[in-house]
């Protein structure tokens, strides 16, 4: 079963999760039946609850990526319960980070901060890479709440913890987090705090190292950064790179929504033929 979860996670990172929701639900039902009706040792029970938490968290993320926000919340809540039953602080903190990201992006800033406060309580009991992830998510939550000083301090903590991380102790569900993700977080923070020129550098570094699904979203963010610097050529190039990835099979509603945000930001240049072409290409993804 662990191998099935890893396979789902790898495929989701390549193309987005919407195509794999049914498979993940099937795996969750199997584990639930084992927990409800199986006979096993205490150690096996703990492992089953850990697997249930991993699958629920993955289902939450894939649902969020597909803009199925109610389902995402339900899966994250179930993941948190299973992680607590398993006594897995790291997996619990990981789930809280994802819950906070969803809340922040849904403009529920107070809830997002509360979730990150809960993740912070286990900081001393989790490995350095998880501490880096917690601090990175704090950066996102604080910056969206307009608390730039707290966000900058959290970003510094994230880079410090990442530098101390021992990859040999990394759980499989945390392998996605590294410099690429942190540079993306840095870029979004700089963009939200009005430092677009610095944001483009961080986002360019992030894009190079990203998995395809993340790359599609991050090119959209890079396009927004170039727009803010007045570099229309750079914005259009990043836009078309994101669109190419979607055309090539990325199934992430977040990437489409990010490009729709880019299209709205193109409004001052809407009469330029090349902007019209890019906007028409973006509009086609919604059909």
């Amino acid at each position: 079963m662990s191998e099935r979860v890893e396979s789902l996670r790898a495929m989701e990172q390549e193309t987005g999760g919407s195509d794999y929701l049914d498979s993940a639900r099937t795996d969750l039902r199997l584990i639930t039946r084992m927990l409800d009706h199986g006979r096993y040792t205490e150690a096996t029970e703990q492992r089953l609850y850990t697997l249930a938490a991993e699958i629920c968290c993955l289902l939450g993320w894939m649902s969020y990526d597909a803009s199925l926000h109610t389902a995402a919340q339900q899966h994250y809540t179930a993941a948190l319960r299973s992680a607590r039953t398993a006594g897995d602080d790291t997996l619990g903190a990981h789930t809280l980070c994802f819950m906070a990201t969803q809340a922040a992006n849904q403009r529920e800033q107070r809830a997002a901060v509360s979730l990150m406060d809960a993740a912070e309580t286990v900081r001393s009991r989790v490995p350095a890479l998880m501490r880096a992830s917690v601090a990175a998510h704090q950066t996102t939550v604080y910056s969206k709440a307009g608390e730039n000083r707290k966000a900058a301090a959290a970003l510094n903590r994230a880079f410090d913890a990442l530098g101390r991380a021992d990859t040999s102790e990394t759980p499989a569900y945390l392998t996605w987090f590294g410099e690429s993700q942190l540079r993306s977080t840095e870029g979004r923070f700089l963009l939200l705090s009005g430092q677009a020129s610095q944001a483009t550098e961080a986002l360019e570094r992030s894009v190079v190292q990203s998995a395809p699904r993340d790359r599609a979203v991050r090119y959209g963010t890079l396009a927004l950064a170039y727009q803010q610097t007045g570099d229309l050529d750079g914005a259009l190039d990043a836009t078309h790179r994101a669109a190419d990835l979607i055309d090539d099979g990325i199934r992430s509603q977040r990437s489409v929504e990010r490009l729709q945000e880019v299209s709205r930001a193109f409004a001052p240049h809407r009469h330029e033929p090349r902007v019209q072409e890019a906007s028409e290409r973006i509009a086609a993804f919604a059909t």
Side-chain angles (χ1 to χ4, degrees), residues 79-97:
L80 194 59
R81 285 199 303 267
S82 293
R84 285 173 175 166
T85 302
D88 193 325
D89 288 332
T90 302
L91 186 49
H94 177 68
T95 303
L96 286 166
C97 287

Side-chain angles (χ1 to χ4, degrees), residues 234-275:
L236 286 167
D237 178 69
T239 298
H240 284 297
R241 288 178 183 270
D244 288 344
L245 286 163
I246 296 172
D247 282 339
D248 287 343
I250 297 298
R251 298 286 299 277
S252 166
Q253 185 60 26
R254 286 187 310 128
S255 63
V256 173
E257 291 172 356
R258 188 63 48 83
L259 283 184
Q260 290 170 338
E261 186 179 353
V262 170
S263 183
R264 291 190 292 272
F266 275 139
H269 308 282
R270 61 184 176 274
H271 297 302
E272 291 197 31
R274 56 189 180 144
V275 171

Side-chain angles (χ1 to χ4, degrees), residues 71-82:
Q73 289 176 337
Q74 292 169 345
H75 289 308
Y76 284 144
T77 300
L80 194 59
R81 285 199 303 267
S82 293

Side-chain angles (χ1 to χ4, degrees), residues 7 30 104 117 121 126 131 187 263:
S7 178
L30 175 60
D117 286 345
T121 62
V126 300
R131 295 198 298 273
S263 183

Side-chain angles (χ1 to χ4, degrees), residues 45-268:
E45 180 183 38
Q46 182 181 30
R47 180 57 185 151
L48 286 171
Y49 272 111
T50 297
L51 278 171
E54 286 192 45
I55 292 178
C56 284
C57 191
L58 183 58
L59 271 166
W61 168 257
M62 291 193 295
S63 299
Y64 167 70
D65 192 47
S67 292
L68 303 172
H69 294 294
T70 299
Q73 289 176 337
Q74 292 169 345
H75 289 308
Y76 284 144
T77 300
L80 194 59
R81 285 199 303 267
S82 293
R84 285 173 175 166
T85 302
D88 193 325
D89 288 332
T90 302
L91 186 49
H94 177 68
T95 303
L96 286 166
C97 287
F98 279 30
M99 294 174 78
T101 294
Q102 181 185 21
N105 288 330
Q106 294 295 105
R107 300 181 181 178
E108 299 172 0
Q109 309 305 345
R110 186 173 299 176
V113 170
S114 294
L115 289 163
M116 289 314 307
D117 286 345
E120 179 69 18
T121 62
V122 299
R123 193 170 188 275
S124 63
R125 304 197 297 272
V126 300
L129 191 64
M130 189 68 247
R131 295 198 298 273
S133 180
V134 167
H137 285 84
Q138 286 174 328
T139 303
T140 297
V141 166
Y142 288 140
S143 63
K144 285 184 176 292
E147 299 189 43
N148 289 341
R149 184 174 297 179
K150 286 185 176 181
L155 184 63
N156 287 335
R157 290 197 301 274
F159 275 110
D160 180 67
L162 184 62
R164 299 171 184 270
D166 178 359
T167 56
S168 67
E169 63 182 8
T170 301
Y173 54 81
L174 257 186
T175 55
W176 66 278
F177 186 85
E179 184 179 359
S180 175
Q181 177 62 35
L182 193 48
R183 291 297 178 188
S184 175
T185 300
E186 179 187 28
R188 292 196 308 273
F189 162 64
L190 291 168
L191 188 58
L192 285 171
S193 60
Q195 304 174 72
S197 294
Q198 295 94 319
T200 59
E201 180 181 351
L203 291 166
E204 286 278 15
R205 293 176 68 178
S206 173
V207 163
V208 170
Q209 305 171 47
S210 298
R213 179 254 294 148
D214 289 332
R215 196 176 304 138
V217 179
R218 292 173 190 176
Y219 267 127
T221 309
L222 181 60
L224 291 170
Y226 275 126
Q227 284 175 342
Q228 287 195 20
T229 66
D231 185 348
L232 185 58
D233 290 336
L236 286 167
D237 178 69
T239 298
H240 284 297
R241 288 178 183 270
D244 288 344
L245 286 163
I246 296 172
D247 282 339
D248 287 343
I250 297 298
R251 298 286 299 277
S252 166
Q253 185 60 26
R254 286 187 310 128
S255 63
V256 173
E257 291 172 356
R258 188 63 48 83
L259 283 184
Q260 290 170 338
E261 186 179 353
V262 170
S263 183
R264 291 190 292 272
F266 275 139

